[in-house]
Amino acid sequence: MPEFKTSPGTRDILSPQSGRWRAFQDVFARTVEAAGYSYIIPPMFEDLDVFLRLGETTEVVTKEMYDFHDKGGRHVALRPEQTAGVCRAYVEHQPVTPWKVWYAGPNFRYEKPQQGRYRQFDQVGVEALGADDPLLDAEVIALAAKFYVDLGLKKVHLSVNTLGDAGDREKYSQILLKYFSAHERDLTSDSRATLARNPLRVLDSKREPDQKIISGAPAIRESISASANQHFDDVLRALDALNISYELNNRLVRGLDYYRRTTFEFTSTALDAAHTAIGGGGRYDGLVEALGGKATPGIGFALGLDRTLLACDAENTFAAPKTAVQIFVVDTVDGRHAHELCHLLRQNGVSADRAYDLRSIKAQMKSADRSAASVALIIGSDEVENSTIMLRKMGSGEQYSIARKDVIGEVLQALNVK
RNA sequence: GUGGGCGUAGCUCAGUUGGUUAGAGCGCCAGGUUGUGGUCCUGGAGGUCGGGGGUUCGAGACCCCUCGUCCACCCCA
């Protein structure tokens, strides 16, 4: 038993999974940069207050934050998500609008870990600030949908809803409070506690006894402003125009309290556990203002790497990329030939690896096989004596002797032929 | 945070009602082949049975605590 293990909710991502993570981020970058989003790298920790602006009833903030005092006495927190940091950056740098950015990286939440739920978890996402256009809402949603397609996912389900403007949200909260209070006796005790804190979140309950009452709850669209309704209709029409299928879900609330108007969530129907939500987002008009900036509309989404990859597993798509070096050098004389040859090959743009500690030729050949190199260069005493190299094609087993001085040309030729 | 299942080699797991030096497959290393991998054969290394305490003549098996993991709730990605 090793003395040290990773902390709960954290883990080492090793190859080949690590290569898959990188490929995931590469695909994402390609997808969103093709739509004009630029890369932003916000810090992993910020002033605690930055995150507190996400909302007092947001559990992510109130219960799950990794906050601490640094040596200078500053009260800071590891970011639980990245939208707040991006909005803070927007206020700090005042970029020209619309400001469209994307990010990738780890976030931290102190939760009880489960599969698909970690204390350090990676997300990729985009934020678009400074435009109120419903077509932008649709673009952001379309981008996420396209990314899933790019990964090869088919069983992805999109739910959309609107939460109305800030005032609407509050008004609807009151309506819900009144409604649920009237049925309080039939609600689970958990839901009663939630009701006191944040009536909207009761809609999210998965507990069986609550379902009947929830299904009878008044819908939000009946209590939101005409302009918010219009905005939402425009978003839906824009999605229709792009042939993006969605389901209207008037109970889709989402956990971050900053959402206004358009909200959406992607779930994987290939997953059956509690972690089917693989991504989501929405408008957060008001967040920039809460962070001390001028009132600025914003919209974005975030996707969880782990869960999306879990969905990929379930659909048997987006496998980890195969890694292979082109050449493996086997040296049974003293290792220096392999040392120098590898260097020479690498200088010429050919990837090369070798074995160490002068192991037997059999062991070195085994390493060559494992490296997935298509060509092995073998150097023994005969080759050294004649200034030659044995070039072996690993696939066919065909091999021939080449002059050492011609090695680069011969290798390139062998690799081209494959 | 609440409730429950599970923790045996690097990995996947077996271990009869508690009974000698704890097993298999895969992987790893070496040999068979004194210059050749992917197949095959043989051998080897690798385990304080998650940790601590207890019951017992005797615990991997039973009890308690603890840690980890998984599941549900919560929350969310």
Side-chain angles (χ1 to χ4, degrees):
Chain A
M1 200 32 54
E3 186 178 357
F4 295 111
K5 290 194 277 194
T6 55
S7 286
T10 69
R11 66 263 197 252
D12 302 309
I13 313 291
L14 307 180
S15 177
Q17 195 65 7
S18 52
R20 199 183 188 203
W21 274 48
R22 195 168 63 181
F24 185 98
Q25 297 184 347
D26 285 349
V27 171
F28 188 74
R30 228 174 298 135
T31 303
V32 296
E33 287 189 347
Y37 290 75
S38 61
Y39 187 39
I40 180 171
I41 309 175
M44 264 186 254
F45 61 89
E46 304 249 4
D47 264 8
L48 176 70
D49 286 340
V50 170
F51 302 116
L52 291 183
R53 302 295 161 85
L54 291 172
E56 294 167 354
T57 60
T58 305
E59 289 206 4
V60 165
V61 170
T62 55
K63 291 168 63 178
E64 300 173 357
M65 204 120 75
Y66 272 96
D67 65 309
F68 58 97
H69 294 272
D70 72 8
K71 291 184 200 297
R74 283 171 289 263
H75 197 176
V76 298
L78 265 31
R79 64 184 183 207
E81 51 98 71
Q82 304 203 43
T83 304
V86 169
C87 288
R88 191 229 77 237
Y90 173 83
V91 174
E92 187 169 334
H93 304 291
Q94 304 187 51
V96 293
T97 57
W99 194 49
K100 303 206 296 184
V101 296
W102 72 273
Y103 58 77
N107 303 322
F108 305 85
R109 294 180 194 173
Y110 191 88
E111 292 183 277
K112 199 162 173 179
Q114 272 177 29
Q115 190 179 69
R117 180 217 267 182
Y118 301 94
R119 289 183 178 173
Q120 178 180 330
F121 63 101
D122 266 58
Q123 286 185 328
V124 296
V126 305
E127 311 291 352
L129 288 142
D132 197 35
D133 195 333
L135 295 177
L136 177 59
D137 300 37
E139 173 185 293
V140 164
I141 294 170
L143 229 37
K146 177 176 188 303
F147 176 58
Y148 290 126
V149 169
D150 289 347
L151 289 175
L153 289 171
K154 293 187 173 71
K155 299 178 179 173
V156 176
H157 183 261
L158 167 64
S159 305
V160 295
N161 191 23
T162 179
L163 295 176
D165 296 314
D168 296 339
R169 189 182 169 125
E170 187 50 35
K171 205 163 64 189
Y172 183 54
S173 256
Q174 292 307 316
I175 291 169
L176 279 181
L177 180 61
K178 203 191 261 173
Y179 171 79
F180 283 125
S181 296
H183 297 80
E184 197 164 350
R185 280 186 316 155
D186 300 322
L187 285 174
T188 59
S189 58
D190 280 341
S191 286
R192 264 175 280 165
T194 306
L195 180 60
R197 221 171 43 241
N198 186 347
L200 267 102
R201 295 222 51 82
V202 176
L203 293 175
D204 244 1
S205 165
K206 277 182 275 187
R207 291 167 292 262
E208 194 50 47
D210 296 330
Q211 294 311 312
K212 216 176 107 196
I213 305 159
I214 290 170
S215 62
I220 187 162
R221 291 207 73 178
E222 291 155 17
S223 59
I224 64 176
S225 69
S227 70
N229 255 316
Q230 182 62 51
H231 184 95
F232 192 50
D233 282 336
D234 289 345
V235 172
L236 298 182
R237 274 213 307 274
L239 288 174
D240 292 336
L242 268 31
N243 285 316
I244 291 170
S245 52
Y246 55 84
E247 179 208 17
L248 290 174
N249 178 355
N250 59 20
R251 288 193 293 283
L252 174 65
V253 180
R254 304 202 41 79
L256 281 342
D257 289 331
Y258 51 64
Y259 286 118
R260 302 279 178 270
R261 297 198 277 181
T262 314
T263 58
F264 56 94
E265 188 168 281
F266 292 92
T267 52
S268 167
T269 54
L271 259 24
D272 54 0
H275 48 258
T276 56
I278 55 176
R283 275 211 167 268
Y284 43 84
D285 307 344
L287 183 55
V288 169
E289 207 172 351
L291 285 162
K294 291 187 302 210
T296 307
I299 182 168
F301 70 75
L303 312 180
L305 242 81
D306 290 290
R307 291 183 183 186
T308 306
L309 251 19
L310 245 25
C312 288
D313 290 339
E315 292 200 40
N316 201 15
T317 184
F318 201 67
K322 298 255 180 293
T323 57
V325 85
Q326 292 170 290
I327 304 292
F328 197 93
V329 183
V330 171
D331 175 353
T332 59
V333 179
D334 60 6
R336 287 163 193 269
H337 301 283
H339 178 65
E340 287 159 26
L341 255 173
C342 278
H343 189 68
L344 180 68
L345 287 164
R346 292 165 189 161
Q347 275 185 320
N348 283 274
V350 178
S351 59
D353 199 5
R354 51 163 303 203
Y356 302 93
D357 296 329
L358 205 59
R359 302 212 292 150
S360 70
I361 184 162
K362 182 174 174 155
Q364 292 195 45
M365 285 304 294
K366 205 165 176 177
S367 298
D369 192 50
R370 248 194 311 256
S371 76
S374 52
V375 170
L377 295 180
I378 303 164
I379 301 170
S381 46
D382 290 355
E383 283 75 19
V384 170
E385 202 172 308
N386 304 320
S387 294
T388 58
I389 293 172
M390 191 59 78
L391 187 156
R392 180 180 179 87
K393 297 188 176 176
M394 296 298 282
S396 60
E398 172 200 358
Q399 66 179 33
Y400 48 86
S401 182
I402 60 170
R404 182 150 181 174
K405 60 178 170 50
D406 300 334
V407 63
I408 296 299
E410 291 283 357
V411 159
L412 289 176
Q413 198 185 349
L415 287 174
N416 277 334
V417 177
K418 287 223 160 26

